[in-house]
Amino acid sequence: MSTFSNVPEQTEAKRLLSAALEEEPAHAYLFHGPAGVGKRATALAFAAELLGEHDRVARRSHPDLYLLEPLGDQIRIDAIRELRRDLHMRPFEAQRRVYLIFGAELMNDEAADALLKDLEEPPPYAVIVVVADDVGPLPETIRSRCQPVLFRRLSEKAVRAVIAERAPGLSPNEEAALARVAAGRLDRLERLLDPKATERRAELLALARSVYRDPAFVPAEAAKAVVGSAEERGREARAVAEQELEGRDLPAREADQWLRRAARGAEREQLLLVLEELGAWYRDLVAIAVGAERAAIHVDHLDALREDGSPDRAPAAETAAGLVRQTWRELQELQLQAPLAFEALFVQLRRAFAGSLVPA
């Protein structure tokens, strides 16, 4: 079995790391690319090969494996200082010690400065793997001291293969739609395959249509529904995180930070997913209107798209897709209040479709 057989695609990353295992690994790597495309699984597989023991690495119990993850919204300097103390211990069993830093883009400035010192003069037995969804927040000084390993979004074919394995029985159109909504991310696919996510998606697409079909559409109520769905997703994520914390000896403050981060992260991801799917729906209306049905994302709802995607509605749908993209960018980059942001968006969407509403 290949070292990285549980990671789909990522051919170039696997080639680079396989060569490192055959020769001599660098002292530090930077795994970067979108969330949910295999960085974590690859980092653990790489660590298992470096330490020569897969089972204990999989259980996170190997004495020469050190994992650092954010608690709360940041990785703070105290966590890096603790890593530094460990870094200068010689290996207990293996020939190396391996340090995996997940969510590295969340390091604050002090933590990043402290890590830089370790990257400048690491002990010869240490291999540090910095894993980040976004390299933008990482200082150039850290990036320049790590060998970059780029991870890309997975192809629709790869995602559909995972769907066929985990959810057999779906129709080809259902598989295609889920793969396209997942946008090359397996973490997102996992959520989409959850029965509750299926219900949320159906409600969202009904809401997307109600913007131009329901004479009684109320933007504030639509925003409340979207934010409420995201909060529900946050509570689910918190419950899962509580289970993961069982058996871990964390101080109460750190455990609370872990749970809060899990909930907030899930809420935010759900809101971004809502915006991506809303934008995709309105783009699909344009695609149907111009005869490009094969380009549609929501191929499991073609009947509704054919009914709604008329040429006279296409200009409004194109404007709507742009409005959603703009809100996505603002939510991603700024600290927006979600209820107000979504209410404003739905007001704008309603205005965009004002000339092509379904008659009462």
Side-chain angles (χ1 to χ4, degrees), residues 2 6 30 40 53 73 81 88 116 142 178 180 209 214 229 238 259 271 274 280 285 335:
S2 170
N6 64 329
L30 172 57
R40 175 182 287 264
E53 191 165 348
D73 294 327
R81 285 172 175 162
H88 295 286
L116 177 61
I142 285 182
L178 287 176
R180 293 173 187 179
R209 298 184 75 196
D214 183 0
S229 177
R238 184 184 177 97
L259 296 175
L271 292 173
V274 163
L285 292 179
Q335 296 294 324

Side-chain angles (χ1 to χ4, degrees), residues 7-8 25 43 56 87 95-96 136 150 180-181 186 195 201 204 206 221 230 274 334 350 357:
V7 180
R56 283 201 290 172
L87 187 67
Q95 294 182 341
R96 298 183 177 91
L150 174 62
R180 293 173 187 179
V181 173
L186 295 185
R201 181 168 178 258
L204 175 61
E221 292 181 2
V274 163
L334 305 174
R350 186 69 166 180
L357 297 177

